């Protein structure tokens, strides 16, 4: 054990040749060999439907990069985001990583660190909350995922997986005003957390919150897809590498 972990978020990996992205991913996975865990905090893929998804054009090489890193000793963990909320056993098999719950509490360096994608803190709209609870992570999404015929599924997922739809939305920065710190504080109380680390908002922020009279540190990580942003945490320090956006 090295006493270090790495956290990245919003990689939005898409199929297709991208030498710069592949070099950044290779460098990240190489660095991750020297730490106790690499935590990918959701939206690792710009879209992941799960069943048969790895076989869609261009996805296998990305999965193989993760799998090769795990074979070299990387301890790889995924949290699901709103764009890869259907990820499950298929992703684990293809990458060698482990999928963690939507909210994962990590004891590290004497702190209780709450890891999550961050969409649970997004006050975008009432319909986003409904979609997140019942479709992204809930029963409706599970039902659709396991009952939709393969032909229909492929017709829907191939163009999305290939990045031909909705890419622009992944590139846009979210307004930090959508981050609801009241929801952050509620999660801190529920899980007795000392730190919260999330992504989703495509911008960076490091803030100190007061929750019931005690200080809580809240990190919002910049998206990895822009410049390889990464949070490097040891038992005594925190360093932010790459990316821009406030951290």
């Amino acid at each position: 054990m090295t006493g270090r972990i790495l956290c990245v978020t919003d990689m939005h990996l898409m199929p297709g040749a991208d030498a710069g992205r592949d070099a950044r991913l290779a460098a990240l996975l190489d660095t991750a060999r020297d730490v106790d865990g690499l935590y990918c905090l959701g939206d690792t893929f710009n879209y992941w439907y799960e069943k048969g998804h790895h076989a869609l054009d261009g996805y296998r090489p990305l999965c193989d990069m993760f799998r090769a890193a795990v074979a070299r000793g990387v301890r790889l963990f995924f949290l699901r985001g709103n764009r890869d909320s259907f990820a499950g056993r298929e992703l684990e098999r293809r990458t060698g990583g482990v999928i963690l719950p939507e909210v994962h509490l990590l004891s590290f360096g004497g702190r209780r660190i709450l890891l999550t994608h961050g969409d649970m803190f997004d006050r975008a709209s009432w319909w986003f909350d409904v979609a997140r609870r019942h479709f992204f992570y809930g029963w409706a999404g599970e039902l659709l995922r396991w009952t939709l015929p393969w032909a229909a599924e492929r017709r829907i997922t191939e163009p999305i997986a290939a990045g031909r739809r909705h890419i622009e939305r992944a590139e846009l920065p979210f307004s930090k005003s959508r981050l609801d710190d009241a929801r952050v504080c509620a999660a801190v109380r529920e899980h007795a957390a000392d730190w919260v680390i999330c992504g989703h908002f495509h911008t960076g922020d490091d803030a100190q919150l007061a929750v019931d009279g005690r200080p809580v540190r809240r990190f919002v990580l910049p998206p990895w897809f822009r410049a390889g942003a990464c949070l490097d945490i040891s038992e005594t320090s925190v360093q932010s590498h790459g990316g821009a956006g406030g951290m």
Side-chain angles (χ1 to χ4, degrees), residues 67-135:
R67 190 164 191 82
V70 171
R72 294 194 302 268
V74 171
R75 300 182 70 232
L76 176 65
F77 302 97
F78 295 108
L79 281 80
R80 298 180 298 166
N82 50 289
R83 283 179 170 265
D84 50 15
S85 61
F86 291 155
R89 290 190 298 272
E90 179 91 350
L91 181 62
E92 290 182 325
R93 282 197 300 269
R94 300 300 170 180
T95 63
V98 176
I99 294 180
L100 300 175
E102 180 187 359
V103 174
H104 178 68
L105 201 63
L106 177 68
S107 295
F108 186 79
R111 303 180 185 89
R112 290 167 61 85
I113 303 175
L114 189 155
L115 302 177
T116 190
H117 177 56
D119 51 340
M120 66 186 293
F121 306 138
D122 191 340
R123 56 181 165 209
S125 64
W126 66 268
W127 61 262
F128 183 80
D129 281 337
V130 171
R132 198 186 67 79
R133 290 195 192 102
H134 300 296
F135 187 76

Side-chain angles (χ1 to χ4, degrees), residues 49 51-53 55-56 147-157:
Y49 192 78
K51 189 173 53 176
H53 199 100
L56 297 180
T147 59
L148 192 67
W150 170 242
E153 172 192 317
R154 194 172 184 110
R155 204 173 304 124
I156 295 169
T157 59

Side-chain angles (χ1 to χ4, degrees), residues 13-17 21 56-59 62 160-163:
L13 297 174
M14 295 181 287
R21 177 206 64 193
L56 297 180
D57 185 37
Y59 270 78
L62 292 168
I160 302 175

Side-chain angles (χ1 to χ4, degrees), residues 66-238:
F66 283 114
R67 190 164 191 82
V70 171
R72 294 194 302 268
V74 171
R75 300 182 70 232
L76 176 65
F77 302 97
F78 295 108
L79 281 80
R80 298 180 298 166
N82 50 289
R83 283 179 170 265
D84 50 15
S85 61
F86 291 155
R89 290 190 298 272
E90 179 91 350
L91 181 62
E92 290 182 325
R93 282 197 300 269
R94 300 300 170 180
T95 63
V98 176
I99 294 180
L100 300 175
E102 180 187 359
V103 174
H104 178 68
L105 201 63
L106 177 68
S107 295
F108 186 79
R111 303 180 185 89
R112 290 167 61 85
I113 303 175
L114 189 155
L115 302 177
T116 190
H117 177 56
D119 51 340
M120 66 186 293
F121 306 138
D122 191 340
R123 56 181 165 209
S125 64
W126 66 268
W127 61 262
F128 183 80
D129 281 337
V130 171
R132 198 186 67 79
R133 290 195 192 102
H134 300 296
F135 187 76
F136 294 159
Y137 306 101
W139 65 270
E142 285 290 311
L143 181 64
L144 178 64
R145 178 157 63 97
W146 292 111
T147 59
L148 192 67
W150 170 242
E153 172 192 317
R154 194 172 184 110
R155 204 173 304 124
I156 295 169
T157 59
E158 269 198 318
I160 302 175
R164 292 196 293 267
R165 296 179 187 167
H166 308 308
I167 296 175
E168 296 81 7
R169 296 186 64 186
E171 299 289 335
L172 291 174
F174 290 109
S175 167
K176 214 173 336 188
S177 65
R178 280 172 46 173
L179 173 61
D180 189 345
D181 274 330
R183 298 187 185 190
V184 177
C185 292
V188 166
R189 291 188 187 96
E190 180 180 353
H191 298 281
D194 301 305
W195 285 8
V196 175
I197 303 176
C198 70
H200 177 67
F201 294 94
H202 291 193
T203 188
D205 193 41
D206 178 1
Q208 196 87 2
L209 306 179
V211 181
D212 300 333
R214 67 184 183 91
V216 173
R217 197 167 180 182
R218 186 260 290 145
F219 297 90
V220 180
L221 306 190
W224 182 91
F225 74 82
R226 287 211 183 103
C230 173
L231 196 66
D232 186 337
I233 306 172
S234 74
E235 294 183 351
T236 58
S237 66
V238 180

